[in-house]
């Protein structure tokens, strides 16, 4: 099975392979700069299902777990 951003380890850098999901969800993720081939560094995952904090293109972003689960990545 493909790994998703939700499963990526804290402190790791992964490459976005594919964004799954419906148009609006996918567009919102892409608007944040998360597109195929981009590197994402996993900074922090808050406990209790709070956002996942990542760095993409030099920007710090917070992603909901549901969004992160729709982003397929590779190490």
């Amino acid at each position: 099975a493909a790994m998703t951003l939700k499963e990526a380890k804290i402190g790791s850098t992964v490459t976005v392979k594919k964004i799954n999901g419906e148009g609006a969800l996918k567009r919102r993720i892409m608007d944040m700069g998360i597109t195929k081939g981009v590197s994402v560094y996993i900074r922090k995952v808050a406990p209790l299902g709070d956002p996942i904090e990542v760095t993409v293109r030099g920007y710090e972003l917070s992603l909901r777990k549901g969004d992160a689960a729709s982003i397929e990545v590779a190490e």
Side-chain angles (χ1 to χ4, degrees):
M3 181 170 73
T4 67
L5 196 55
K6 185 178 174 206
E7 297 149 355
K9 292 182 199 68
I10 296 168
S12 67
T13 299
V14 295
T15 303
V16 175
K17 287 293 174 202
K18 188 176 166 195
I19 299 167
N20 298 312
E22 296 308 305
L25 168 73
K26 192 169 178 175
R27 205 156 34 241
R28 188 161 47 92
I29 291 170
M30 291 177 77
D31 283 346
M32 292 187 216
I34 298 173
T35 53
K36 191 175 172 186
V38 81
S39 290
V40 179
Y41 171 69
I42 318 301
R43 290 180 22 243
K44 195 167 120 194
V45 177
L48 305 175
D50 283 344
I52 297 172
E53 295 183 15
V54 300
T55 302
V56 178
R57 301 180 193 267
Y59 296 100
E60 296 185 353
L61 300 173
S62 289
L63 282 175
R64 293 197 311 243
K65 290 248 169 95
D67 291 349
S70 67
I71 302 166
E72 286 184 22
V73 297
E75 291 185 323

